[in-house]
């Protein structure tokens, strides 16, 4: 699919469809990265999910607690897989 991208950009430039002729040339700025994103089989979805989970917890605690409670909430919140954490084995004892 990534190998077909330059041909698709040429077709879009010639089509004069609204919005696409302005979008397609921006893909050429970093063609290698866009092609890799279309062809490689790995994803950063699990990392994005972890970041969103942490942001949600941070928003919930905004203005109510310090870093120690935020860290405890993040470590104790349910998640889909193991997250390696450097620090004490029991995060509750660390806050005391």
């Amino acid at each position: 699919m990534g190998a077909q991208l330059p041909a698709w950009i040429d077709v879009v430039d010639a089509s004069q469809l609204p919005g696409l002729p302005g979008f397609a040339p921006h893909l050429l700025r970093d063609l290698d990265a866009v092609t890799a994103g279309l062809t490689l089989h790995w994803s950063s979805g699990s990392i994005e999910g972890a970041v969103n989970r942490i942001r949600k917890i941070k928003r919930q605690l905004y203005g109510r607690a310090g870093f120690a409670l935020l860290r405890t909430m993040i470590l104790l919140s349910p998640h889909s897989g193991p997250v390696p954490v450097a620090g004490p084995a029991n995060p509750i004892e660390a806050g005391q």
Side-chain angles (χ1 to χ4, degrees):
M1 182 157 203
Q4 300 168 351
L5 185 61
W8 179 83
I9 292 172
D10 292 339
V11 169
V12 167
D13 281 338
S15 73
Q16 299 302 318
L17 293 171
L20 288 179
F23 169 72
H26 292 288
L27 296 176
L28 291 173
R29 289 184 184 171
D30 202 1
L31 186 61
D32 291 337
V34 175
T35 302
L38 292 171
T39 56
L40 296 178
H41 297 288
W42 59 273
S43 169
S44 62
S46 61
I47 299 300
E48 292 297 328
V51 168
N52 286 333
R53 178 178 58 85
I54 291 170
R55 285 183 182 163
K56 181 188 78 162
I57 294 169
K58 186 177 174 183
R59 271 188 236 110
Q60 290 172 343
L61 296 176
Y62 183 74
R64 298 182 191 164
F67 179 75
L69 182 58
L70 174 64
R71 182 175 186 272
T72 301
M73 292 294 293
I74 290 171
L75 293 175
L76 295 178
S77 70
H79 56 279
S80 60
V83 176
V85 176
N90 187 344
I92 296 173
E93 290 179 6
Q96 295 178 351

